[in-house]
Amino acid sequence: MTRTISSPSAKIDAFLRDQNVPTPFVVVDVDLVEERYVQLVEAIPQARVYYAVKANPALAIIERLVRLGSAFDVASPAEIDRCLEAGAKPDDISYGNTIKKRRDIAYATSCGVRRFTIDVEAELDKVAAEAPGASVCVRLRHECGGADWPLSRKFGAEAPDVVRVLGLAAEAGMESGVSFHVGSQQRDLLAWDDTLSVVAEIIDRARNQGANPTFVNLGGGFPGTYREASPAITAYGTAVRAAIAKWFPDGIAEIMVEPGRYLVADAGVLRSEVVLVSRRSPEDSERWVYLDCGKFHGLAETMDEAIRYRLRTPHDGQLSGPVVLAGPTCDSADVLYEKSAYELPLALAEGDMVDILSTGAYTTTYSSVGFNGFPPLHEHYV
Ligand SMILES: *Cc1c(COP(=O)(O)O)cnc(C)c1O
């Protein structure tokens, strides 16, 4: 029997079959995370992997990645602590959040973390003061066209400002590099080429001003497997390697990549239970399907129906019809899909289990602590 990596593993299916645990929950197969890590390293062998911990900070995942030699991109002291607890070396931790409290920079420094991402002079000043001798990564703003979950406007500086901040970092005696993020779930393979052309020009200009950026951070953006297809990781690898060769013919001293979604999304399945199937009137062709899991149970990326998950039900293959899919809480924002033309089997009924696939990333930590008295999403690692 063949299995694509994007369908649940035998281990996950065994867990779903044998374990009678309360729904909703996410179950993650940590071996699949390892498989994905190996595939990404094969696709872009010249880059060091810094796992974006925010995608799923479970200890089981970080411990496995430590064993594989991964480094880590963190956003807070708690994520630093988690990585250190899992056995990561402080040298292998990059503080990638461009917005940091001074005391958090100081805390990171006391832990031995030496690399910080910034995008403006005011943040450079904070890092220079609290982390003397650290190296800074200056983030370039990127228009995230082609990404299902864009990240553009909140982060990054325009190219001339990146050059200026690199110059200031050099004056402060700090090592530096340039980073960007092409947007999460980026399905346009040319996104990296576009941005690397700008990065190459930035580095050229910075050198003319006495700075010497030594590393380039390619960010994340590599895909999970959702309803709309995305290219294979080998295609991303080919595109990224070609862009590096084209814009940096003399090479780059150090290349970083910060995958979050790609490493963990497909490794997880979220199991939920149907609470109610209703029609507003008998002749209504559209059914409302209410699950015991919604926007407040970790499915935050269904905001604006941006991430469209694949669903699995016990009646797949039978006659189906249109549905609106909603969560169980008393908030009208708790609707998952209303405009994305989801269909589910007509036989679907109260008590059936609906599996939401590729939910290993950006779910568990997005769950509310107890809205309406519902507990946070449970998580299991196998
Ligand atoms: C969220 C984030 C990532 C991970 O992005 P994915 O699209 O999940 O791979 C990488 N780098 C930074 C700075 C991030 O904020």
Side-chain angles (χ1 to χ4, degrees):
M1 196 187 85
T2 58
R3 168 180 75 79
T4 60
I5 191 167
S6 53
S7 57
S9 66
K11 252 203 295 175
I12 285 182
D13 277 335
F15 183 93
L16 293 174
R17 190 182 58 239
D18 302 334
Q19 302 294 318
N20 190 16
V21 293
T23 60
F25 63 84
V26 168
V27 52
V28 174
D29 182 346
V30 182
D31 289 341
L32 287 189
V33 177
E34 174 164 347
E35 229 172 287
R36 290 262 143 150
Y37 176 89
V38 170
Q39 287 168 344
L40 186 67
V41 169
E42 278 170 10
I44 316 175
Q46 60 270 67
R48 178 95 200 271
V49 172
Y50 285 71
Y51 170 56
V53 170
K54 75 171 187 286
N56 188 327
L59 202 55
I61 290 174
I62 299 176
E63 280 173 347
R64 178 66 66 95
L65 290 171
V66 166
R67 251 185 282 151
L68 292 166
S70 183
F72 299 90
D73 167 63
V74 302
S76 64
E79 287 189 351
I80 294 173
D81 290 347
R82 181 63 65 91
C83 291
L84 295 175
E85 183 189 349
K89 293 197 292 291
D91 259 350
D92 289 339
I93 297 174
S94 163
Y95 202 142
N97 191 343
T98 53
I99 300 139
K100 301 171 282 299
K101 288 180 177 169
R102 265 176 204 276
R103 60 176 173 276
D104 294 347
I105 299 169
Y107 177 75
T109 304
S110 76
C111 294
V113 174
R114 295 195 63 260
R115 183 164 288 183
F116 298 84
T117 302
I118 59 165
D119 55 11
V120 291
E121 188 177 344
E123 190 76 7
L124 173 68
D125 292 345
K126 284 156 66 181
V127 173
E130 304 298 335
S135 80
V136 289
C137 191
V138 185
R139 182 157 168 180
L140 170 69
R141 193 171 89 87
H142 176 83
E143 285 299 334
C144 296
D148 288 341
W149 191 257
L151 304 161
S152 57
R153 223 158 53 86
K154 184 169 170 184
F155 312 104
E158 301 299 334
D161 297 312
V162 174
V163 173
R164 189 173 47 80
V165 175
L166 287 167
L168 293 170
E171 280 171 28
M174 304 172 99
E175 281 175 35
S176 65
V178 178
S179 73
F180 59 87
H181 195 300
V182 295
S184 202
Q185 188 71 7
Q186 175 56 262
R187 293 192 281 143
D188 178 3
L189 294 176
L190 289 176
W192 284 268
D193 182 83
D194 280 354
T195 319
L196 281 172
S197 71
V198 180
V199 172
E201 204 181 309
I202 286 172
I203 291 181
D204 242 20
R205 288 204 205 146
R207 286 198 177 128
N208 291 335
Q209 299 188 12
N212 184 26
T214 53
F215 58 93
V216 171
N217 179 342
L218 306 173
F222 307 99
T225 309
Y226 304 120
R227 199 180 69 172
E228 279 77 27
S230 51
I233 195 64
T234 47
Y236 284 84
T238 303
V240 170
R241 290 195 317 270
I244 293 170
K246 178 171 158 195
W247 298 109
F248 295 90
D250 302 328
I252 307 169
E254 189 187 340
I255 302 177
M256 302 162 66
V257 65
E258 292 174 338
R261 190 182 301 281
Y262 180 72
L263 295 188
V264 293
D266 292 352
V269 170
L270 194 160
R271 170 151 281 190
S272 67
E273 182 183 331
V274 176
V275 181
L276 174 70
V277 180
S278 71
R279 285 179 207 269
R280 292 301 152 98
S281 69
E283 55 282 352
D284 202 348
S285 70
E286 190 173 70
R287 292 161 298 153
W288 281 70
V289 173
Y290 298 89
L291 303 176
D292 63 356
C293 180
K295 274 218 165 57
F296 301 98
H297 293 88
L299 298 175
E301 289 197 320
T302 60
M303 216 184 294
D304 297 331
E305 311 193 14
I307 296 294
R308 291 176 290 277
Y309 296 107
R310 293 171 298 138
L311 307 176
R312 186 172 72 170
T313 79
H315 313 288
D316 285 355
Q318 300 175 31
L319 207 59
S320 66
V323 294
V324 174
L325 205 63
T329 65
C330 304
D331 188 316
S332 59
D334 193 10
V335 172
L336 302 175
Y337 301 115
E338 192 170 7
K339 305 183 195 90
S340 299
Y342 268 81
E343 295 210 349
L344 285 174
L346 298 176
L348 194 72
E350 176 195 347
D352 280 342
M353 298 298 166
V354 172
D355 292 332
I356 308 176
L357 306 185
S358 297
T359 33
Y362 302 118
T363 51
T364 55
T365 48
Y366 268 146
S367 183
S368 83
V369 297
F371 180 52
N372 263 182
F374 293 110
L377 185 60
H378 303 287
E379 25 185 328
H380 305 279
Y381 295 84
V382 295

